[in-house]
């Protein structure tokens, strides 16, 4: 596997002559940040050797190299989800390629269901910590000693300095934000009311089907992490209010995405 990661990184280095210091992984429907990037090179995932083969037709993701906030970045527009059937090694493969390309900090976004009763649809949640509720850990198996240690420390998984700076940026720009714990579970089903209750009892503020595997692999390899969840729906089981309309959700998501782009860009500028 490590040979494959090296080969893919070498291919991208040869093609781009580009050294990104920031990696960005954009969640479903949150690819709009790409418009803020001064793009130098773009690859369909199908053009990148050893990248997982997309299972969804017409949903080919893109790997983008360019400048954002004055920094060299590599961005994934679309990620590989565990629920699509990829093994954890494939879900997290691009993160390890990022490491070999020179990435020091990884920024991640995702769409998530709000568990915290104070949350509203369209809120941004700065991720302060996570719970791995996937049935496995992406580091299970023989350790890749070239990348990191067997038993990685996880007491500060999301960089505290970046969280503090992001809160300041959001405040300065008058962007409403929440912060909290993200619980990552396999999906593809959304939670039953009983599962939502359980996640809340476990200490989570938002629930989704991604991010945790990538962050574990990034931390293993010594990269700093920063993440934002866009709260696309509320998961309060006791709520008998009328469900939010699809249009409403889309409009709110668009505003949330613009705000997320501001926070990511300003934060990257500050690195
Ligand atoms: N649950 C799990 N994943 C999600 C949700 C949710 O409610 N909303 C967006 N992704």
């Amino acid at each position: 596997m490590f040979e494959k990661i090296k080969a893919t990184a070498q291919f991208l280095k040869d093609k781009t002559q580009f050294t990104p210091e920031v990696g960005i992984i954009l969640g479903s429907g949150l690819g709009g940040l790409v418009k803020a990037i001064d793009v130098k090179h773009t690859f369909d995932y199908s053009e990148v050797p050893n990248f997982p083969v997309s299972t969804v037709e017409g949903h080919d993701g893109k790997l983008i190299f360019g400048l954002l906030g004055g920094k060299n970045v590599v961005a994934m527009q679309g990620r590989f989800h565990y629920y699509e059937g990829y093994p954890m090694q494939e879900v997290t493969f691009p993160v390890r390629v990022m490491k070999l390309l020179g990435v020091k900090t990884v920024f991640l976004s995702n769409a998530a269901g709000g568990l915290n009763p104070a949350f509203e649809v369209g809120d941004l949640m700065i991720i302060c910590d996570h719970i791995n509720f996937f049935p496995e850990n992406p580091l299970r198996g023989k350790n890749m000693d070239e990348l990191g240690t067997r038993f990685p420390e996880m007491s500060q998984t999301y960089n505290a300095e970046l969280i503090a700076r992001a809160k300041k940026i959001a405040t300065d720009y008058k962007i409403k934000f929440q912060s909290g714990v993200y619980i990552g579970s396999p999906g593809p089903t959304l939670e039953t009311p009983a599962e939502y209750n359980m996640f809340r009892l476990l200490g989570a503020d938002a629930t989704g089907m991604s991010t945790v595997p990538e962050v574990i692999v990034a931390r293993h390899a010594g990269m700093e992490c920063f993440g934002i969840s866009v709260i696309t729906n509320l998961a309060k089981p006791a709520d008998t209010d009328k469900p939010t309309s699809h249009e409403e959700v889309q409009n709110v998501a668009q505003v949330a995405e613009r705000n997320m782009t501001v926070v990511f860009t300003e934060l990257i500028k500050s690195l």
Side-chain angles (χ1 to χ4, degrees):
M1 184 54 96
F2 190 64
E3 290 308 312
K4 277 190 174 177
I5 298 163
K6 272 205 297 196
T8 303
Q10 196 57 50
F11 168 88
L12 292 168
K13 279 183 199 172
D14 291 346
K15 287 269 182 194
T16 64
Q17 310 292 326
F18 195 84
T19 306
E21 65 173 288
V22 173
I24 303 172
I25 303 176
L26 299 170
S28 317
L30 299 173
L33 175 124
V34 163
K35 290 191 220 102
I37 299 177
D38 174 11
V39 178
K40 302 291 181 199
H41 305 274
T42 304
F43 300 87
D44 287 341
Y45 290 161
S46 58
E47 297 174 275
V48 182
N50 304 322
F51 253 45
V53 177
S54 179
T55 57
V56 192
E57 230 175 289
H59 261 267
D60 203 13
K62 286 187 167 48
L63 190 66
I64 293 151
F65 292 80
L67 282 149
L68 181 66
K71 302 288 191 309
N72 284 1
V73 305
V74 56
M76 291 178 70
Q77 194 174 23
R79 55 153 59 87
F80 300 100
H81 294 93
Y82 186 73
Y83 64 73
E84 293 174 86
Y86 302 108
M88 278 297 187
Q89 277 71 19
E90 293 193 14
V91 169
T92 57
F93 185 87
V95 179
R96 289 175 159 154
V97 171
M98 285 180 177
K99 171 70 183 179
L100 295 198
L101 289 175
V103 167
K104 304 275 184 283
T105 312
V106 184
F107 287 70
L108 307 100
S109 70
N110 60 56
L115 300 165
N116 186 319
F119 287 9
E120 291 176 33
V121 169
D123 279 354
L124 298 182
M125 184 188 86
I126 295 172
I127 304 175
C128 293
D129 203 349
H130 75 217
I131 296 171
N132 179 17
F133 208 76
F134 285 88
E136 57 178 305
N137 188 298
L139 302 180
R140 179 171 167 270
K142 190 175 177 317
N143 185 50
M144 267 187 218
D145 294 329
E146 300 91 337
L147 291 174
T149 178
R150 171 76 288 188
F151 300 107
E153 211 273 322
M154 297 289 283
S155 67
Q156 225 213 66
T157 304
Y158 298 82
N159 184 284
E161 170 65 28
L162 292 177
I163 291 171
R165 268 191 245 164
K167 289 180 178 176
K168 173 148 191 345
I169 290 163
T171 306
D172 288 349
Y173 279 83
K174 299 189 167 47
I175 293 169
K176 183 190 177 207
F177 68 91
Q178 310 280 1
S179 59
V181 174
Y182 175 91
I183 187 162
S185 73
T189 46
L190 298 174
E191 292 74 12
T192 64
E195 287 164 347
Y196 279 126
N197 278 334
M198 173 182 71
F199 283 172
R200 189 70 189 134
L201 284 170
L202 289 178
D205 297 290
T207 168
M209 305 171 192
S210 68
T211 305
V212 169
E214 294 125 319
V215 167
I216 289 173
V217 163
R219 293 300 297 141
H220 174 249
M223 292 183 279
E224 298 300 330
C225 292
F226 176 81
I228 287 186
S229 292
V230 173
I231 305 301
T232 55
N233 57 291
L234 292 180
K236 284 185 273 183
D239 253 8
T240 48
D241 293 23
K242 63 170 173 45
T244 324
S245 78
H246 185 60
E247 287 78 12
E248 223 178 312
V249 172
Q250 279 193 321
N251 287 342
V252 189
Q254 268 179 15
V255 175
E257 188 186 43
R258 274 204 298 277
N259 287 338
M260 193 195 75
T261 300
V262 171
V263 175
F264 270 21
T265 307
E266 291 302 312
L267 201 49
I268 289 168
K269 230 183 252 177
S270 83
L271 291 175

